[in-house]
Each structure stands twice: as structure tokens, then as C-alpha cells.
Amino acid sequence: MSNTTDVAAERATGHGPSPTPRRPTPEWLVVLGAMGLALVVTGALLQVAHPFIRHDDWLFTLGPGEPGSSGHFSRNLYEGRWLNTVYWYVIGQRTSIVVASAIFVASYSAFVWGFVRALAPPNRLSTFVLTLAVFVSAVWVRLVYWPGTLSASMVVAATAVWSLPWARRRRRTLAAWLLVFVVLSILSYPPVAGLVFLTFVVTELGESFRRLLVGAAGFVAAYGVGVLTVYAFNWLAFGTFGLTISAWRRPNPLESLDDLASNLSRYGTQFASLAALLGWAGVVAVASLVWALVDSSTRRSAVVVLGAVVVVVGLEAGLTVYSGVVTGTRASLWAWPAVCLPAALLLRGIRASRVAGVVALALIALVGVLSWRVDLGDHRATRGQYDVIVSETAAAVQEHPGDAVVMWMEPRWKATAQGNMTAVTVRSMVYDQLGISPRWCARATCPEIARAVQRDPSADVLRVDGLTVVRIPRPPAWL
């Protein structure tokens, strides 16, 4: 009894042994926890395990000779993504859509981790909130339906951010790093180059303005080298020094002042669409930027980040003005990191700024999560509809194994680009799950099928004159 009393007295007077301090949660566990939470609350785990794949991405998981697998090499004349072709030859054709989706999400996760690591948030809470906010990019989620096509570019982005600390040891290796990864970005998916540059900038915030300007000039020059590399490869392979822009992209080469005005207007429309996509996250970003400029401890970094974003936007706008091609919001990968960066800078400011930074990142994360849920939800609903069609096709084939399987679609939808995309997606799902690649109905049989559809307008799969007919639904509203 006396021993217990003595110990209590020692602790009360502060002379006893101090309690063992709690070990802080490892940073890697915080990052993984944030990304795991994002995958769960957004519903992205289901997209990985049971993915919805957009129409033209299926061919990047098919081997040579399979139905729909063609044109991998010739696509470079129109897109110049030579690294994607190499990736397909080595990896892509040997993977399933689930494996492709897993590689894509894992590579993106590695990029997010490396990007957050480059920002070096000051504590575990800010690390968690920053990781969550960066991960749930309202722009990136629109790429998740092309894992076969874009996995190579995500591997490039992840490798770039994780090799940057090593490259920064010497100026020569840093210059080589910037050149190599910008060129690799151009050869896989050019918008990734903007991510490479922004990561470079956030690791150089404490350097001189002269060094930063040299880095920006080096980025633009490296981008030019990447474009010339694509042109050179196309010249060697196809005899064309450049890209042949497809008509569906509505090119408008800059040849006059009228073209200049038209192309500027096109980019203005593109930028407005991007701003609408960012929504309240963009508003929070602007408010955070103003706050960071007011706080003297973050002002310089805010100016540098703003300058970096101007460089990336200027390059993107310049490409549209030159070619007239509008890339769409999903190609502006720089936009979401640009939204997160002002709030991330506040984490290094005065106490009020640090609190504001955490709150801003939490709000940005909320916008991102809601955006993911809507986008993934729409695509999951479509996937469910198409799964029913595949299941009914499987049942019909089992019941009538001698039938040829054909597709039919309302002519008004079949004649549209959206209708063709829908048909390719359904046909690819039928082939992936059943090993059957349906063809379109013949001109002689289509009228009879149309009459059968009128008699049973709710049927997804019909049997007409010894044919199993897969009725292609109208394109979904989101397409």
C-alpha cells in the first residue's frame, strides 16, 4: 500500500518516471489511409474491380488478331503516342481490363503520393487532408475509363515525381530529368507534361527567380523537343513530318487573323467549361491564392505557383490557338493541382493561414468526392444496363447455340458518333465475357428486326429468323 502511495506522490510532484511518449503515425500510413478513404467514399474501388471501359480503350487490352484489335501502330500518325504503342506490345495486350484498371489507379496513386511528398506538409493532419484533396481530382476521374490507353502516361507521371529528389542533387541531372520526362509525357499523353512541370516548381519554391525562369524556359523547350520527337518518328514511320489531325477534332490551322479570333474563342469556351467543372473548388482556390498573397510568409511561393500555372495555361492555349483543336476538360490535368496548391502553401504560413489551408483543402476534397460520385455513378448505371444485355445474350446463345449473333440499333442513333461509341462498347463487353463479336445486321434482315422491335420495344435481346439480335440502346445522357 505504501509503495502505491509513494508512486502516486512521485507522479503528482513530477519526480517520477515520465510516461512513454506516443510514436507518431508513420507518414506512409497517413497517405495510404487518405487514398484508401478516397477509393471507398467515391466508389472507385468498384470501378477497379468491375470497370466500365469506354469504346476505343478496349482494343488496348486485346492481342493481335482478336476482333477489334487493329491500328495500334497507325494511330501514331494521328496522335503521336508512341510510348503507348510500346506499352501495348510489351504489357497491354497481355492484360485484362481489370488488370489495366488496377495498373492505372495504382500508378495514379503513386503520382499523388509523390506530389504530396514534394509539397512536404508540416504535420499528419495536413498530410491527410492534402492527399485526399489532390487524389479526388474532378479532372482525372474523367480519364479512369481509358486505363489501357493511359496507363503508360500514369507510370511516367509516377516515375517522374519519385525520381525528382534524386535528380535535384545536381543541375545537370535535374535538366536531364525535366527533358526526359516531358518528352516521355508527349509520347504517352501530353497533358501529363504539365503535372511534371508543376511538381518541379513546388520543389524549387525556395530557389532564385532566375533559376525558376530558367526552369520554365527549359520546360517549354523540352515540350518542343517532345513534339519534334513525335514528328521525327512519324516521318520515319509514315513519311509525314507532323501529325495528321482527324476531322472529328475540328482542326482550324492558324493562317489568318480570322483564324486567330476563332481559335481564341475556342480556347475561351474550353477554359469556361473547365471553370464550370471545377466549380466551388475553383472559388476556394482563388480565395486561398489571395490569402497566400496577403500572408508575407507565403507571398513569394504564391507568386511562383501563379507564374507556373500561367506558363502551363499559356502553353495549352497556344496549342489550341495554333491548331484550333479543343481538347476538352479531361485533358487539363494541371487544373486540379493548381486548385490545391494555394491552400497547400497556406499550410506553411502563420497560424491563421495554416487553419485556413486545412479548411480550404477539406472543402476542395468535398467538391472532388461529390464530383467523383456523380461521374462514376453515371457510368456505373450504364455498366449495369449493359451487363443485363450481355447476360441476356448469354442466355439466348445457350438456348440457341446455332444462331448467328447480330446487332441492331435505331437508325437515327446508329448514324451518330455517340451511337457508334455505344455499339462498340456493348460489342466489346459481349466479346470480353462471351467470346462472341456480334456484327451489324444485314441490310436484308434489318427491316424484319425493326418490326420485331416495334412489337416488343422493351426487349434487349430478340430472336428473329434464326438470329440472336442484340439491341443496342440509345447513347447514355453523359456521352
Side-chain angles (χ1 to χ4, degrees):
M1 180 70 176
S2 60
N3 289 340
T4 304
T5 304
D6 291 342
V7 171
E10 287 177 354
R11 289 180 177 175
T13 57
H15 297 299
S18 58
T20 303
R22 293 182 59 187
R23 297 180 62 183
T25 305
E27 184 176 338
W28 63 267
L29 188 59
V30 174
V31 172
L32 291 180
M35 292 192 293
L37 177 64
L39 290 172
V40 171
V41 299
T42 59
L45 275 180
L46 187 57
Q47 170 63 21
V48 175
H50 191 61
F52 179 88
I53 303 297
R54 293 287 288 268
H55 62 289
D56 57 345
D57 196 64
W58 285 92
L59 64 91
F60 278 88
T61 59
L62 299 176
E66 293 188 77
S69 177
S70 62
H72 292 282
F73 191 83
S74 61
R75 285 170 70 105
N76 291 300
L77 177 61
Y78 305 96
E79 297 179 351
R81 301 180 189 177
W82 285 92
L83 186 59
N84 291 359
T85 303
V86 174
Y87 182 87
W88 175 79
Y89 276 112
V90 177
I91 298 174
Q93 62 175 307
R94 297 172 174 83
T95 60
S96 66
I97 59 171
V98 174
V99 172
S101 186
I103 292 173
F104 184 60
V105 173
S107 300
Y108 174 70
S109 301
F111 163 76
V112 171
W113 189 348
F115 187 75
V116 171
R117 179 168 169 256
L119 285 166
N123 55 55
R124 297 298 184 262
L125 174 61
S126 57
T127 298
F128 184 89
V129 179
L130 177 59
T131 303
L132 182 61
V134 173
F135 190 91
V136 290
S137 167
V139 179
W140 181 85
V141 69
R142 299 193 166 197
L143 301 180
V144 75
Y145 315 107
W146 285 273
T149 307
L150 298 176
S151 285
S153 66
M154 287 298 103
V155 171
V156 168
T159 307
V161 295
W162 281 95
S163 60
L164 180 54
W166 167 82
R168 293 189 72 242
R169 296 178 181 179
R170 296 180 181 179
R171 289 192 176 186
R172 289 184 178 180
T173 55
L174 183 58
W177 174 91
L178 187 62
L179 175 63
V180 167
F181 283 103
V182 170
V183 171
L184 290 177
S185 298
I186 304 300
L187 292 173
S188 55
Y189 188 53
V192 170
L195 300 181
V196 172
F197 178 61
L198 289 179
T199 307
F200 162 79
V201 170
V202 299
T203 61
E204 297 282 303
L205 291 176
E207 302 296 334
S208 66
F209 280 116
R210 181 179 180 277
R211 179 180 169 105
L212 289 164
L213 288 173
V214 170
F219 164 66
V220 175
Y223 200 99
V225 171
V227 171
L228 289 175
T229 302
V230 170
Y231 285 11
F233 284 170
N234 282 2
W235 179 70
L236 291 173
F238 310 111
T240 300
F241 187 75
L243 290 173
T244 300
I245 302 177
S246 302
W248 65 267
R249 295 185 183 273
R250 297 176 56 238
N252 184 41
L254 183 61
E255 297 176 352
S256 67
L257 290 177
D258 288 340
D259 294 331
L260 176 62
S262 175
N263 292 353
L264 282 171
S265 176
R266 289 187 181 192
Y267 185 74
T269 302
Q270 175 182 329
F271 194 85
S273 298
L274 178 62
L277 173 63
L278 299 177
W280 284 105
V283 175
V284 173
V286 172
S288 300
L289 178 62
V290 172
W291 192 314
L293 291 170
V294 172
D295 185 346
S296 60
S297 60
T298 58
R299 184 177 301 138
R300 184 182 185 278
S301 296
V303 170
V304 171
V305 166
L306 180 60
V309 172
V310 168
V311 170
V312 176
V313 173
L315 183 59
E316 180 182 77
L319 294 174
T320 299
V321 169
Y322 175 74
S323 66
V325 175
V326 176
T327 56
T329 54
R330 65 174 175 263
S332 297
L333 290 180
W334 58 267
W336 196 258
V339 162
C340 296
L341 280 174
L345 296 179
L346 292 177
L347 299 176
R348 292 289 183 178
I350 61 175
R351 178 176 175 77
S353 296
R354 295 196 298 272
V355 173
V358 171
V359 171
L361 288 170
L363 291 173
I364 291 170
L366 177 61
V367 173
V369 168
L370 294 176
S371 181
W372 277 47
R373 290 187 66 85
V374 170
D375 204 271
L376 288 171
D378 289 344
H379 286 79
R380 296 309 313 166
T382 302
R383 168 86 202 215
Q385 178 188 9
Y386 296 175
D387 279 337
V388 171
I389 295 174
V390 175
S391 297
E392 292 185 1
T393 303
V397 169
Q398 186 175 10
E399 185 177 354
H400 306 284
D403 284 5
V405 181
V406 300
M407 299 184 299
W408 180 89
M409 190 177 197
E410 291 182 52
R412 60 173 175 152
W413 296 117
K414 183 182 177 182
T416 65
Q418 291 83 357
N420 179 65
M421 294 175 191
T422 302
V424 171
T425 302
V426 173
R427 179 168 55 192
S428 298
M429 289 179 62
V430 170
Y431 177 73
D432 179 64
Q433 297 181 43
L434 307 181
I436 300 170
S437 183
R439 55 179 174 80
W440 284 111
C441 61
R443 182 178 299 179
T445 58
C446 283
E448 180 59 31
I449 293 173
R451 287 189 288 270
V453 169
Q454 289 179 347
R455 292 191 295 269
D456 190 2
S458 63
D460 294 318
V461 179
L462 307 92
R463 188 165 187 263
V464 180
D465 293 338
L467 299 174
T468 293
V469 181
V470 179
R471 181 185 177 187
I472 306 299
R474 66 175 56 187
W478 51 259
L479 186 58

